[in-house]
Amino acid sequence: MNKRAIIAITSSGIKLARELRDSWDKSAPIFVPENKAETDLLVLPTEKVLSGIHALFSQYEALICIMAMGIVVRSVAGVLEDKRKDPAVIVIDEKGRHTISLLSGHIGGGNQLTLEIAEKLNSCPVITTATDVQEVTALDLLSKEINGWYDNFDETTKKVNGLLADHQKVGLIQHEEWIKDFRGLTLMEASDSVDDFQAVLLISDKKEQLFSEKIIQVVPRRYVLGIGARKALAFPIIKQEYLNFCDLNNVHYRSIKEIVSIELKKNEAGIRQLAEWLNVPFTTYTSKELSAVSKKYPQSDFVKKITGVGSVSLAAADLASNGQVVTKRYAGQGVTFALGRNEDDTCCTWWD
């Protein structure tokens, strides 16, 4: 998906669009109606503005619309899907007096873009999300920053953000320094009781025992999962062995950000189903690429005969984590696993 685009429909709006592009993002295309097209401007995909915005909605991470808000609202109304997937939409009036975060303020980054644009245009930023207005953090925002997962996304986000916006007591437990924005949160001490809080966020990639319904575990996705499997191995077997592997290593099954294997396995239905179930990308390496690191690990003559490499799961985890393998090889019912730690956000798919 492309990063961001600017849309303008009048001469005044186009003038402001050029000013914004030149001062903020020189790579951002400017889309205009056909009768306004010039050499540095692109024509909207359709003749009508509403359907043109509609067409661009799924192609960009952010749309900056310089026009009346009513036009934008009517344009996107029919294509809204989910706050985890919809692009950020920012509306600017043609005089550049107000920059308004309309859609996907948190996950889509609309609020941050609004502040950036407002600074460039010397305009007034308008942000209406309750947590921002009350100057507290938000569950979906802090989770995005750590590439986190938590259960029942919509319901849980609404509940916790409502508590934060209402300045209710929300606790935070973290064994590593995951979260730095504590606004509205209370960092809990060992002597604190969960009963004294309306909700408690537990930031952990471990398999935690949640002893209270008030505790919400946010799982940072920090690991890559190397996998090798017998041909045509069924998904239920792979899934069960994967859960056993996670239990053995005390990692939460949702702490995986990517699955990696040998190219020979790229069309294996069971592995692809595991990736779909975890909602993470599945990447494969050639036997030549794996051979460069596989000799660091115990070799299997049988695996080498089939794949050309003596170690698949460990070698794949090694490549995907730049050598940061953190578990031994696990084997069971024809499938092998190994974990590598990779906390770079670039390859992640975040939400269910």
Side-chain angles (χ1 to χ4, degrees), residues 66-77:
I66 305 177
M67 62 192 73
M69 186 180 292
I71 297 174
V72 183
V73 171
R74 287 192 294 273
S75 300
V76 303

Side-chain angles (χ1 to χ4, degrees), residues 289-340:
E289 289 174 312
L290 293 176
S291 294
V293 298
S294 67
K295 292 181 181 179
K296 294 163 59 176
Y297 305 102
Q299 301 288 294
S300 165
D301 292 336
F302 175 76
V303 172
K304 189 169 185 177
K305 181 179 179 181
I306 300 297
T307 67
V309 182
S311 171
V312 171
S313 57
L314 281 163
D318 185 293
L319 277 182
S321 65
N322 293 314
Q324 299 300 307
V325 176
V326 294
T327 69
K328 295 179 180 179
R329 174 180 174 272
Y330 170 94
Q333 298 193 78
V335 61
T336 63
F337 298 109
L339 280 187

Side-chain angles (χ1 to χ4, degrees), residues 37-206:
E38 296 183 28
T39 53
D40 64 330
L41 306 174
L42 298 178
V43 177
L44 281 165
T46 66
E47 292 183 7
K48 294 184 178 181
V49 174
L50 268 67
S51 56
I53 296 175
H54 186 146
L56 294 173
F57 190 81
S58 62
Q59 298 179 31
Y60 288 88
E61 295 177 4
L63 297 179
I64 296 87
C65 303
I66 305 177
M67 62 192 73
M69 186 180 292
I71 297 174
V72 183
V73 171
R74 287 192 294 273
S75 300
V76 303
V79 290
L80 298 180
E81 184 178 357
D82 188 289
K83 68 189 297 181
R84 291 164 285 184
K85 299 177 181 177
D86 294 335
V89 177
I90 292 121
V91 181
I92 308 173
D93 66 272
E94 293 185 354
K95 292 288 188 180
R97 293 170 179 163
H98 296 90
T99 301
I100 305 164
S101 179
L102 180 66
L103 186 69
S104 293
H106 285 162
I107 294 177
N111 291 352
Q112 182 59 41
L113 287 178
T114 294
L115 295 174
E116 290 178 18
I117 292 169
E119 181 180 7
K120 295 298 182 182
L121 297 180
N122 195 28
S123 67
C124 176
V126 180
I127 296 173
T128 60
T129 43
T131 50
D132 293 274
V133 171
Q134 295 298 329
E135 297 184 342
V136 294
T137 191
L139 176 57
D140 48 346
L141 186 58
L142 66 83
S143 293
K144 177 183 178 181
E145 292 173 354
I146 62 170
N147 189 31
W149 173 92
Y150 52 89
D151 201 11
N152 296 321
F153 176 83
D154 290 331
E155 180 182 338
T156 305
T157 302
K158 183 178 180 180
K159 173 187 174 182
V160 174
N161 286 358
L163 291 171
L164 289 165
D166 200 33
H167 299 286
Q168 297 294 311
K169 200 170 182 182
V170 178
L172 173 67
I173 301 172
Q174 56 179 1
H175 305 305
E176 297 184 40
E177 193 178 344
W178 293 107
I179 303 300
K180 297 180 181 179
D181 183 0
F182 293 160
R183 292 175 304 152
L185 298 170
T186 300
L187 190 60
M188 293 179 63
E189 304 289 342
S191 58
D192 290 335
S193 171
V194 171
D195 294 336
D196 295 332
F197 294 82
Q198 295 299 310
V200 172
L201 303 182
L202 170 60
I203 316 298
S204 173
D205 62 346
K206 308 299 183 186

